[in-house]
Amino acid sequence: MKAAEQAEAEGAQQGQQMWIDQLESSMKNPTGYYVSNIQINRAGNTNTVHDSGVVYGPWLEGTGSRNRTTRFKGYHSMRKVRVKLDRMSPRIAERVLQKYLPRMR
């Protein structure tokens, strides 16, 4: 169970960093406030990466109601990161599992 927990924690850390990197490369006039609010929250057995409920987060992502009425359609940064992280997850889990295999023998 420890291997699974560690793999999930490392996946969350990787996702957090990828989200920050994606935003920093996309944002035209970053203030740093939004990026500073991207955090990992552990709830039960699940790690969640979130923007701490920053009110303009949905607008930046492109899922807010204002995106329909403005030219800005969002960065879609979390969606892009989710796709990349889904592909990386097996490698993250494999790397973590390799640390635990000697203990299992």
Side-chain angles (χ1 to χ4, degrees), residues 67-85:
N67 296 100
R68 285 175 275 187
T69 59
T70 64
R71 287 188 309 160
F72 180 68
K73 299 304 174 196
Y75 295 119
H76 307 288
S77 55
M78 191 61 226
R79 183 184 63 188
K80 292 174 185 175
V81 167
R82 188 179 315 120
V83 169
K84 290 177 187 175
L85 193 58

Side-chain angles (χ1 to χ4, degrees), residues 2-84:
K2 291 284 186 189
E5 290 173 7
Q6 186 176 351
E8 185 171 327
E10 287 188 24
Q13 291 170 347
Q14 182 72 34
Q16 178 188 35
Q17 189 58 54
M18 289 169 63
W19 191 5
I20 290 169
D21 293 346
Q22 180 73 35
L23 283 168
E24 288 178 343
S25 69
S26 300
M27 295 178 100
K28 297 192 192 282
N29 298 305
T31 64
Y33 178 77
Y34 186 72
V35 170
S36 71
N37 279 286
I38 296 174
Q39 299 178 5
I40 299 170
N41 186 35
R42 179 148 178 91
N45 293 330
T46 305
N47 290 294
T48 307
V49 182
H50 58 86
D51 65 1
S52 303
V54 174
V55 71
Y56 56 87
W59 180 72
L60 288 176
E61 185 62 21
T63 60
S65 60
R66 301 266 337 237
N67 296 100
R68 285 175 275 187
T69 59
T70 64
R71 287 188 309 160
F72 180 68
K73 299 304 174 196
Y75 295 119
H76 307 288
S77 55
M78 191 61 226
R79 183 184 63 188
K80 292 174 185 175
V81 167
R82 188 179 315 120
V83 169
K84 290 177 187 175

